[in-house]
C-alpha cells in the first residue's frame, strides 16, 4: 500500500496531474488505466462533497488536446464517470479554457470538468486538469482527490450515467467571436470586423488550430499562411510552447514570408499564447506582459498588474509610467492568479495577473488563464489601431528591453534538496552584503533578488528554488554590455564551493 501511495502521489504536479501515458525509451508508464480510474473516483467524491450533490446528479464535461494518448484516456474517464452514475459531456478535442467554460456556460453549467493535457511536455506525457465554476483545483484539492482515490471505496449505483457527445469548441468559438465583434464595434462591418487584417496562426499541432477556421475567418481575417493547425499528438514540427525559441522562430518566419499583420502561437492546450507583430518582432514574456498591461490600463487606469518574480526592471518602470502598479510575486501561474484574486478581495484593484510563461488571466474573464481570450483582446486593439494608421508595437514603444538576459539551472544532488537549496539562498543573502554596489531587493516573495548598481553589473539577479524539480534557478539581467559577466564573475566563487550543487554551467 505504501508503494501505491507514493506512486499515485508522484503524479501530482502542483495543481495538475501529470505522468507518462506512452512508454518511451527513458520512461515507463505511470499514468496507467488503473491510476486514472482511481483518480476519477477521487474527483467525484471531492465534487460530491463540494457541491452537496449525489453523483447520479453530477454533470461532468471531459475534453482533451491532441496528444496520442488522449482518446484512450478520455474513454477510460468517460466510462468510469458513467459507471459511477454521472452524466458525461464528451467534448472531444478541446482547450483547457474552453473546458472551464463548460462549468459557467448557461446551456450546460456542469458541476465539474476534466481536461486531458500535459501542456507543452513531450508527446509521451499526459495529465489531467480539474475545474468547477470557481476555477481550477488547488494543490490541497488534488491531495484530497488522491487521498480519496487510494481508498477506492465507491458506492454501487443503480444505473449508469449517460455519455453525451458534443462539440463544445464551436460554442466556445462563438463566445470569442461575440467578444471581438462587440469590442471593435465596427460601424462599417460589424460581422466581419477583421476584414483587411492578415493574421496567421501556428498551433504547433496542438488544440489551437480551431482559432483559424472557427474564429478568425468568420470575422473576416485573411489566415493564409497559418501552419501546423492540424492536430498531431507527436508535435512533429516544433514544441507547442510560446516560451520556446523554436516556436517563436517558426511564427516569425511565417509572418515575414506571408507579410502578415500579426502572427499567433499557442501552446498545446491554449491556456498560453504569444504573438509576432508585422515586422516579425516576437512579443512574449516581458514584452507580452507590457502589451497586455497597456491594454488593461487604458480600460482600468491605475490598476495593479500581478506578475511572477522574474519580470524585468524595465517592465516595472513601464507599468508605473502608464499609471499602474506592478506587484511582482512568485513563480507559478496559480500563485500569480491567486494573488490577483486575493488583492481584489482585499479591496485593491487588480484586473490582470500574468506570468512570463504566457499564462494571462483577466478579471473580466473569471481570472482564467486563456491564451485565446488574451489574443482576442489584442486583436480588438489591433483593429482599432489600424484604423488610426498604427500597429500594436506603438503600445509598447516605451518599454526598456535589457541588453542581456541569462538563465542558469543548477541541479541539487542532495536528497533533501529543498532544505539544501534554501540554505544556499540564505547564505547568498549574507554573501551579497559584502559585495559593493549590490543590495537585496525589497518586496520580494521568492528566493533572493539582488539589485546591482551601475558600476557593479547594472541590473539584477534572482536565485530561487524550482517549483517542481531539485534545481536552483538563477536569472540575470543587465543593461550594460559587460554587466552580466560582472555579475557572473562575482557570483562564481560563491556557487563553486557547494559540492552538492552542479554549477558546471557557471564555470
Amino acid at each position: 500500500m505504501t508503494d501505491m501511495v507514493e506512486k499515485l502521489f508522484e503524479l501530482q504536479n502542483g495543481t495538475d496531474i501529470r505522468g507518462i501515458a506512452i512508454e518511451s525509451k527513458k520512461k515507463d508508464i505511470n499514468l496507467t488505466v488503473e491510476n486514472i480510474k482511481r483518480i476519477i473516483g477521487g474527483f467525484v467524491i471531492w465534487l460530491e462533497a463540494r457541491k452537496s450533490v449525489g453523483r447520479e446528479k453530477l454533470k461532468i464535461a471531459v475534453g482533451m488536446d491532441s496528444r496520442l494518448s488522449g482518446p484512450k484516456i478520455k474513454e477510460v474517464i468517460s466510462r468510469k464517470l458513467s459507471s459511477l452514475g454521472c452524466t458525461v459531456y464528451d467534448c472531444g478535442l478541446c482547450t483547457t479554457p474552453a473546458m472551464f467554460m463548460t462549468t459557467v456556460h448557461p446551456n450546460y453549467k456542469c458541476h465539474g470538468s476534466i481536461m486531458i493535457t500535459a501542456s507543452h511536455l513531450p508527446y509521451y506525457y499526459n495529465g489531467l486538469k480539474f475545474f468547477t465554476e470557481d476555477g481550477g483545483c488547488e494543490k490541497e484539492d488534488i491531495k484530497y482527490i488522491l487521498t480519496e482515490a487510494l481508498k477506492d471505496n465507491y458506492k454501487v449505483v443503480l444505473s449508469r450515467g449517460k455519455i453525451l457527445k458534443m462539440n463544445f469548441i464551436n460554442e466556445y468559438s462563438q463566445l470569442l467571436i461575440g467578444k471581438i465583434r462587440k469590442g471593435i464595434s465596427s460601424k462599417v462591418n460589424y460581422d466581419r470586423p477583421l476584414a483587411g487584417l492578415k493574421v496567421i496562426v501556428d498551433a504547433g499541432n496542438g488544440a489551437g488550430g480551431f482559432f483559424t477556421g472557427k474564429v478568425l475567418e468568420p470575422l473576416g481575417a485573411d489566415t493564409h499562411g497559418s501552419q501546423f493547425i492540424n492536430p498531431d499528438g507527436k508535435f512533429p514540427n516544433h514544441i507547442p510552447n510560446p516560451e520556446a525559441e523554436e516556436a517563436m522562430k517558426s511564427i516569425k518566419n511565417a509572418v515575414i514570408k506571408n507579410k502578415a499583420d500579426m502572427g499567433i502561437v499557442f501552446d498545446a492546450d491554449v491556456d498560453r499564447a504569444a504573438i509576432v507583430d508585422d515586422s516579425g518582432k516576437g512579443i512574449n514574456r516581458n514584452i507580452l506582459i507590457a502589451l497586455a498591461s497597456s491594454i488593461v490600463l487604458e480600460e482600468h487606469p491605475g490598476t495593479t498588474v500581478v506578475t511572477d518574480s522574474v519580470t524585468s526592471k524595465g517592465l516595472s518602470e513601464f507599468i508605473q509610467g502608464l499609471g499602474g502598479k506592478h506587484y511582482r510575486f512568485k513563480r507559478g501561474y496559480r500563485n500569480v492568479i491567486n494573488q490577483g484574486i486575493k488583492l481584489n478581495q482585499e479591496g485593491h484593484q487588480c484586473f490582470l495577473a500574468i506570468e512570463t510563461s504566457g499564462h494571462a488571466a483577466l478579471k473580466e474573464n473569471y481570472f482564467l488563464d486563456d491564451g485565446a481570450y488574451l489574443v482576442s483582446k489584442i486583436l480588438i486593439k489591433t483593429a482599432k489601431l489600424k484604423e488610426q494608421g498604427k500597429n500594436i508595437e506603438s503600445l509598447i514603444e516605451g518599454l526598456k528591453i535589457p541588453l542581456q538576459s541569462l538563465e542558469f539551472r543548477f541541479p541539487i544532488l542532495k536528497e533533501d534538496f529543498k532544505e539544501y537549496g534554501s540554505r544556499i539562498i540564505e547564505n547568498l543573502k549574507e554573501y551579497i552584503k559584502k559585495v559593493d554596489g549590490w543590495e537585496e531587493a525589497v518586496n520580494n516573495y521568492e528566493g533572493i533578488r539582488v539589485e546591482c548598481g551601475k558600476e557593479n553589473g547594472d541590473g539584477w539577479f534572482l536565485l530561487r528554488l524550482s517549483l517542481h524539480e531539485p534545481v536552483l534557478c538563477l536569472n540575470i539581467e543587465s543593461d550594460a554590455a559587460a554587466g552580466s559577466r560582472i555579475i557572473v564573475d562575482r557570483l562564481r566563487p560563491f556557487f563553486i564551493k557547494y559540492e552538492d550543487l552542479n554549477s558546471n554551467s557557471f564555470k
Side-chain angles (χ1 to χ4, degrees), residues 39 44 57 140 157 295 302 335 391:
I39 291 167
V44 169
K57 293 184 179 180
E140 295 74 18
V157 294
I295 293 171
N335 290 330
N391 65 6

Side-chain angles (χ1 to χ4, degrees), residues 226-358:
S226 292
Q227 57 189 18
F228 317 139
I229 60 175
N230 294 321
D232 186 333
K234 282 197 172 181
F235 309 129
N237 295 290
H238 63 72
I239 186 171
N241 181 3
E243 281 195 290
E245 185 177 345
E246 59 177 333
M248 292 304 295
K249 183 178 180 180
S250 173
I251 188 65
K252 285 178 187 179
N253 290 340
V255 165
I256 293 169
K257 177 182 177 181
N258 293 281
K259 298 179 180 179
D261 294 296
M262 180 189 294
I264 302 165
V265 58
F266 291 116
D267 74 340
D269 61 327
V270 197
D271 57 6
R272 294 186 294 139
I275 66 171
V276 170
D277 71 8
D278 57 1
S279 70
K281 179 178 179 179
I283 299 178
N284 63 348
R285 298 180 66 83
N286 282 289
I287 306 175
L288 181 66
I289 296 174
L291 177 58
S293 298
S294 177
I295 293 171
V296 170
L297 278 162
E298 185 177 328
E299 298 171 344
H300 306 285
T303 190
T304 296
V305 176
V306 179
T307 73
D308 58 328
S309 59
V310 298
T311 46
S312 69
K313 184 177 179 181
L315 177 65
S316 292
E317 293 170 349
F318 178 81
I319 292 171
Q320 291 161 8
L322 293 176
K325 303 179 184 70
H326 182 198
Y327 194 110
R328 195 177 61 239
F329 198 53
K330 302 176 183 177
R331 286 282 280 180
Y333 73 94
R334 287 302 308 175
N335 290 330
V336 172
I337 292 171
N338 287 345
Q339 187 61 26
I341 294 170
K342 182 182 177 183
L343 287 176
N344 281 290
Q345 291 171 343
E346 293 174 348
H348 304 288
Q349 188 186 66
C350 174
F351 283 87
L352 174 64
I354 179 169
E355 194 186 34
T356 49
S357 64

Side-chain angles (χ1 to χ4, degrees), residues 486-497:
I486 292 172
I487 294 171
V488 167
D489 287 345
R490 293 188 180 182
L491 283 174
R492 186 177 292 109
F494 172 80
F495 284 111
I496 61 174
K497 66 184 180 184

